[in-house]
């Protein structure tokens, strides 16, 4: 048997702790749903008409993954670094063109997530018709808590909230999602062969805002868990 040799050490597999398990969950891809709460779409100046639109997505590199509790540098080339509190859906079974009524089969569990965003760069990209990568695919910018196994369970209601330095900033419920979890799995699986280890940031509610070096972000999704992030000095 031949063994592959590499010029330099391959990067470590990005992974998440799983509640009640010694084994970690290897993260394959990070998908994010854009504008999935009406009140957040409105605060971004881009209301959503579900009857006339489909959901849209962007991706973040798995190498941007950071575990809850970390301290991360305030990133370069932004003056408007935003938090976005989200429910993260963790895929545990492969699926392609999955009907909504079968979507539960793909669910491994859930986590809390922070979709950190260079809002200034994202809005320039959006308004100039450029890709969102510089605004969204940020080193240390995809923060995820431990994964809570709930195989086959599709959550339909759960409060989610976020505070900065203890002051409430975001508070909503996943009942307010424009496209619910079944609809997201069904739609995203039209484009991608979903795989175990794919994770989906399901969108953020209203109340997004900026953080500064020294700020501490905390958040929770009821019935799932908690998340925290400390913003360190600018690089
Ligand atoms: Mn987001």
């Amino acid at each position: 048997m031949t063994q592959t040799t590499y010029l330099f050490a391959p990067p470590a597999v990005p992974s998440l702790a799983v509640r009640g398990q010694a084994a970690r969950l290897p993260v394959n891809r990070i998908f994010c749903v854009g504008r999935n709460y009406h009140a957040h779409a409105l605060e971004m100046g881009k209301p959503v008409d579900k009857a006339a639109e489909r959901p849209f997505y962007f991706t973040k590199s798995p190498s941007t993954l950071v575990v809850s509790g970390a301290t991360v540098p305030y990133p370069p080339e932004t003056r408007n670094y935003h938090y976005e509190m989200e429910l993260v859906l963790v895929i545990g079974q492969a699926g392609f063109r999955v009907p909504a009524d079968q979507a539960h089969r793909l669910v491994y569990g859930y986590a809390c997530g922070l979709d950190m965003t260079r809002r200034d760069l994202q809005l320039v990209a959006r308004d100039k018709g450029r890709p969102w990568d510089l605004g969204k695919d940020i080193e240390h910018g995809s923060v995820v808590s431990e994964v809570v196994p709930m195989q086959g369970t599709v959550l339909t209601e759960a409060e989610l909230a976020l505070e900065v330095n203890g002051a409430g900033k975001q508070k909503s419920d996943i009942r307010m999602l424009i496209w619910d979890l079944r609809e997201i799995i069904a739609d995203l699986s039209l484009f991608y062969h979903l795989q175990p280890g794919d994770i989906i940031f399901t969108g953020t509610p209203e109340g997004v805002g900026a953080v500064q070096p020294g700020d501490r972000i905390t958040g929770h999704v009821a019935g799932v868990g908690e998340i925290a992030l400390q913003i360190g000095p600018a690089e």
Side-chain angles (χ1 to χ4, degrees), residues 94-103 106 182 185-187 189-190 194:
F96 180 54
R97 296 176 180 152
V98 180
D101 66 3
Q102 297 298 309
L106 272 63
R182 286 188 182 277
I185 290 171
D187 188 74
S189 74
L190 297 175
L194 294 177

Side-chain angles (χ1 to χ4, degrees), residues 152-166:
T153 300
V154 176
L155 294 180
T156 54
E157 55 184 355
E159 181 197 80
L160 72 170
L162 176 145
E163 306 83 36
V164 177
N165 303 326

Side-chain angles (χ1 to χ4, degrees), residues 32-33 58 84 86 115 117 136 201 203-204:
C32 304
V33 185
F58 55 92
E84 293 190 357
E86 310 201 7
D115 170 18
T117 302
K136 286 290 193 179
F201 281 69
T204 196

